[in-house]
Amino acid sequence: MFKPHVTVACVVHAAGKFLIVEETVNNKALWNQPAGHLEADETLIQAAERELWEETGIRAAPQSFLKLHQWIAPDRTPFLRFCFAIELAQTLPTEPHDADIDRCHWLSAEQILTAPNLRSPLVAESLRCYLQPERYPLSLVGSFNWPF
């Protein structure tokens, strides 16, 4: 049976800047959106909110759904990545609570799209999706008969 990893990611925008988290992987500083795996007993929206708080210290809820990406990583790991958009009125200070996150950056779209140190090509692709006018309601990924 095919069992892809289910992950969530947030494209966070404020005052013309986008929030990026930096983590060290194999002694290299890599950039990603606040992102991570869906945990048991949580909805996709709850996972996005939790990952945002854990990786940046910011509490905010997704306002729209951007895209679902089905992706196979270079190591052949399959992923389903649910990407959400969050608009903030202003850039906020960050304080990662996840030990894997070294720091956060507020960057321009150009800085991200031209960066040589993205964690995966999905980082740039998620930003490109955000830059398109399409936004979808969160009900598109709503939970059904959720018992928790």
Side-chain angles (χ1 to χ4, degrees), residues 3 63 68 78 108:
K3 295 182 180 180
Q63 291 130 351
L68 168 61
S108 70

Side-chain angles (χ1 to χ4, degrees), residues 56-137:
T56 71
I58 294 173
R59 291 199 186 272
Q63 291 130 351
S64 58
F65 178 64
L66 290 175
K67 192 155 189 173
L68 168 61
H69 290 102
Q70 184 174 356
W71 183 61
I72 298 176
D75 68 359
R76 306 298 297 157
T77 302
F79 286 90
L80 293 176
R81 189 180 199 240
F82 292 80
C83 189
F84 299 93
I86 297 176
E87 287 287 336
L88 300 175
Q90 61 189 17
T91 60
L92 298 173
T94 58
E95 183 183 344
H97 298 279
D98 182 332
D100 291 335
I101 303 301
D102 299 324
R103 64 192 53 83
C104 301
H105 304 280
W106 287 100
L107 303 169
S108 70
E110 182 180 356
Q111 287 174 291
I112 298 164
L113 293 172
T114 60
N117 61 326
L118 301 181
R119 174 91 188 253
S120 82
L122 281 179
V123 178
E125 183 59 22
S126 296
L127 181 54
R128 283 191 285 273
C129 289
Y130 175 89
L131 295 172
Q132 298 300 310
E134 292 88 17
R135 297 285 189 280
Y136 303 98

